[in-house]
Amino acid sequence: MMSRHLTVSKQILEVMRRTPDCRLDDLVLSCKRFPLQVLLSEVSRLSRKNQLRLTLASTGSFTLQLLSENCRSRFVKSPSFE
């Protein structure tokens, strides 16, 4: 279960890095290989951990925003201390 959790999270963050502001429907379409319930559960978890912001745009329509720390993590490597 833990590896599935990491795989779903990795896929969501990868999609969100390409499109930092997107509709939840678009994310679902981009992650079709995962069951909807698993995907929504992971979006909820990432939102609670302040990695994504889930916003109600209108009745039945949600948008997702990748929070800036996650955008930078792709481009900035942390120094390694060995």
Side-chain angles (χ1 to χ4, degrees):
M1 181 68 172
M2 186 59 150
S3 70
R4 181 179 203 174
H5 172 75
L6 291 174
T7 302
V8 175
S9 177
K10 182 179 176 182
Q11 179 69 34
I12 290 170
L13 291 174
E14 186 176 302
V15 169
M16 292 300 301
R17 284 185 184 115
R18 288 193 307 262
T19 312
D21 295 295
C22 75
R23 295 180 323 129
L24 180 59
D25 293 346
D26 295 331
L27 178 69
V28 169
L29 289 174
S30 295
C31 299
K32 288 191 278 192
R33 69 186 187 123
F34 300 108
L36 181 59
Q37 184 63 35
V38 171
L39 186 66
L40 295 177
S41 177
E42 189 60 16
V43 165
S44 177
R45 188 188 73 79
L46 291 169
S47 179
R48 288 191 310 273
K49 293 182 72 80
N50 293 318
Q51 293 184 292
L52 295 177
R53 180 173 295 133
L54 181 63
T55 306
L56 178 62
S58 62
T59 304
S61 177
F62 292 88
T63 59
L64 289 166
Q65 181 181 25
L66 184 63
L67 298 180
S68 61
E69 182 178 313
N70 290 301
C71 289
R72 286 194 311 266
S73 69
R74 183 174 139 194
F75 301 108
V76 179
K77 287 190 174 182
S78 57
S80 65
F81 300 100
E82 295 180 18

